[in-house]
Amino acid sequence: MTEALGLTAEQLAAIGPGALALDVADGMIENVIGTYALPFAVAVNFVVDGADVFVPMVVEEPSVVAAASNAARMARPAGFTTQVSPPLTIGQIQVTNVRDVVAGAAALRAAADELLGDARQLVPRLTERGGGPRAFEVRTLATSGPDGGMLVAHLHVDCRDAMGANLVNTLCEALADRVAELAGGRAGLRILSNLADGRTVRVRCSIEDAMLAAEGASGSEVRAAIAGASRFAELDPYRAATHNKGIMNGVDAVLVATGQDWRAVEAGAHAFAALGEGYKPLAVWRERDGGLDGELVMPLAVGTVGGAVHVHPSAQLALAIADIGGRTDRLAAIAGAAGLATNLAALKALATEGIQRGHMALHARGLARAAGATGELIERVAAELAATGEVKAERAREVLARMVKESP
Ligand code: NAD
């Protein structure tokens, strides 16, 4: 890997013990008393949008890297394909105590171009880079109540290569008074929304049955079981939460490695999952003839400038390993692919365990019958074989003999 990517020993020192110097750590947050190391690993076998990629991962949980690598091997023939939306982050300006919310909202909508123009002037460099404020929207939240009439203005900002929290917060701060004045109310909170539903990644993969087969389970059985597990998550928020946790295992590991604000992505992911009717899985799996198709859609606000990216030496190395060539959309695509991969691995493990258990139970019944058990003894002998894990003909004969002897 180091040769393929042309990484130097100097670059690799960025993940050596003590790579994060105390003075750098001290500059990152407050009251620093030390640094905290986590394992840095690389998941392999990934093909994302036609290109091989090493996926940097930082995570404390065992099996995540192996699971991602195994699933990426299953997906490797067709690879992961992605679509990443433009990097649009929403800034919110809350207005409370609005005398007339209908008139206030109308006044804001009428002034949208003026407000967008003001916002653009505040970020000339971003606009030069092809980003900047794109749209202005107004939502009515309450017509009366403890805070009076309440409106919220949404400023949609193309943040280019930045995650954009500070950038958007600054814009919201600057516009708040004018927005409140136009709406006829009082300026409230002004901060980005982490429900970044305008900044999504869509990842697809397609797995052939032959790649899904496992010991004791055929490819088509595993395929059906994974599709069934997906339907379970689509029907039940209790399952969907765990399904999504499996996705975030892969996503977060990439985000931590590359110095991203993973709490922001977590908050956005779960809020996105809860948009619409009930909490839903971020990835679903469908059977097709001879294989399985998976699709993940989730918000993924990442940046290759700003935040901790340039401060933390290991984050820089992680970006070099992912070989994103400075492309923020590529980082989002890779993090999303890692999430779909860990989801697939988790579902396959759960599904095959179930199939194997089912096969074992069937096998145990067959052995009980072969040993001469009849009636209710078939189930009793099979249950004991399955419970002890010794699903063998000889053991079936012993268990049956003992049960017959013990029976009154
Ligand atoms: P930042 O404050 O470091 O600003 C990034 C800056 O990079 C921009 O202001 C821009 O001037 C500059 N820049 C240079 N090249 C650029 C390019 N090609 N594209 C875009 N900008 C470019 O970072 P940020 O992204 O504004 O904010 C991210 C930070 O804010 C993270 O540390 C995050 O943890 C934190 N934060 C998050 C939240 C939240 O998610 N709720 C709230 C507050 C702060």
Side-chain angles (χ1 to χ4, degrees):
M1 177 195 79
T2 51
E3 273 171 35
L5 294 169
L7 297 175
T8 63
E10 200 180 29
Q11 277 177 298
L12 289 170
I15 48 169
L20 180 61
L22 209 52
D23 60 329
V24 178
D26 199 36
M28 289 173 77
I29 62 167
E30 312 74 37
N31 299 359
V32 169
I33 58 164
T35 59
Y36 183 117
L38 282 170
F40 185 116
V42 172
V44 294
N45 303 323
F46 276 81
V47 172
V48 180
D49 296 321
D52 275 290
V53 59
F54 294 111
V55 178
M57 287 187 156
V58 169
V59 62
E60 86 298 342
E61 187 178 341
S63 303
V64 171
V65 180
S69 303
N70 284 338
R73 187 172 37 75
M74 287 185 253
R76 195 168 167 78
F80 295 93
T81 53
T82 74
Q83 281 170 278
V84 183
S85 73
L88 284 175
T89 288
I90 298 168
Q92 293 195 297
I93 303 166
Q94 179 203 25
V95 190
T96 63
N97 302 96
V98 180
R99 286 180 293 280
D100 177 344
V101 288
V102 176
L108 283 176
R109 287 190 187 106
D113 286 344
E114 174 208 323
L115 290 163
L116 278 171
D118 292 349
R120 270 184 209 112
Q121 287 196 348
L122 293 163
V123 284
R125 300 277 309 279
L126 187 64
T127 311
E128 273 167 31
R129 289 189 188 102
R134 288 279 189 267
F136 182 85
E137 275 176 0
V138 185
R139 295 165 56 228
T140 301
L141 298 183
T143 50
S144 62
D147 305 304
M150 197 194 298
L151 297 174
V152 63
H154 279 195
L155 182 66
H156 298 255
V157 184
D158 182 323
C159 296
R160 292 288 91 191
D161 299 312
M163 179 267 186
N166 291 324
L167 198 148
V168 169
N169 293 350
T170 309
L171 280 173
C172 291
E173 284 282 351
L175 295 185
D177 287 345
R178 177 71 181 135
V179 166
E181 185 192 346
L182 285 162
R186 196 183 300 158
L189 305 187
R190 359 44 231 264
I191 187 167
L192 87 158
S193 168
N194 285 114
L195 173 47
D197 59 353
R199 196 167 179 171
T200 56
V201 59
R202 183 181 296 270
V203 185
R204 292 194 179 96
C205 70
S206 195
I207 320 285
E208 300 306 316
D209 279 354
M211 303 303 275
L212 291 169
E215 209 185 310
S218 72
S220 62
E221 283 176 315
V222 176
R223 178 229 295 175
I226 291 176
S230 176
R231 288 192 296 274
F232 177 15
E234 288 162 57
L235 289 169
D236 181 13
Y238 288 88
R239 174 57 212 157
T242 324
H243 181 101
N244 288 344
K245 193 276 180 182
I247 293 170
M248 299 315 289
N249 273 345
V251 173
D252 283 342
V254 176
L255 299 182
V256 176
T258 55
Q260 305 299 313
D261 186 338
W262 50 272
R263 286 90 49 212
V265 174
E266 279 279 346
H270 299 293
F272 186 76
L275 271 182
E277 287 175 23
Y279 183 91
K280 298 288 179 207
L282 296 166
V284 294
W285 297 89
R286 296 282 180 263
E287 286 189 81
R288 61 167 165 79
D289 205 13
L292 185 69
D293 293 333
E295 183 179 70
L296 165 92
V297 184
M298 66 177 286
L300 246 164
V302 293
T304 51
V305 296
V309 178
H310 284 289
V311 186
H312 201 301
S314 315
Q316 282 301 306
L317 180 69
L319 292 176
I321 289 172
D323 201 17
I324 61 165
R327 283 183 49 201
T328 310
D329 58 342
R330 178 85 180 144
L331 175 58
I334 291 169
L340 191 58
T342 48
N343 181 225
L344 171 62
L347 295 187
K348 187 184 173 193
L350 287 169
T352 47
E353 201 182 281
I355 293 166
Q356 279 160 348
R357 215 185 302 121
H359 281 184
M360 249 351 157
L362 274 179
H363 185 46
R365 273 189 221 115
L367 289 180
R369 272 201 197 89
T374 53
E376 62 146 7
L377 273 174
I378 297 172
E379 282 307 318
R380 286 178 55 205
V381 171
E384 184 164 329
L385 294 183
T388 58
E390 279 189 89
V391 189
K392 292 177 187 146
E394 195 188 317
R395 185 86 186 107
R397 284 193 290 275
E398 284 169 17
V399 172
L400 178 63
R402 196 197 72 229
M403 284 183 178
V404 169
K405 210 167 143 195
E406 283 170 3
S407 64

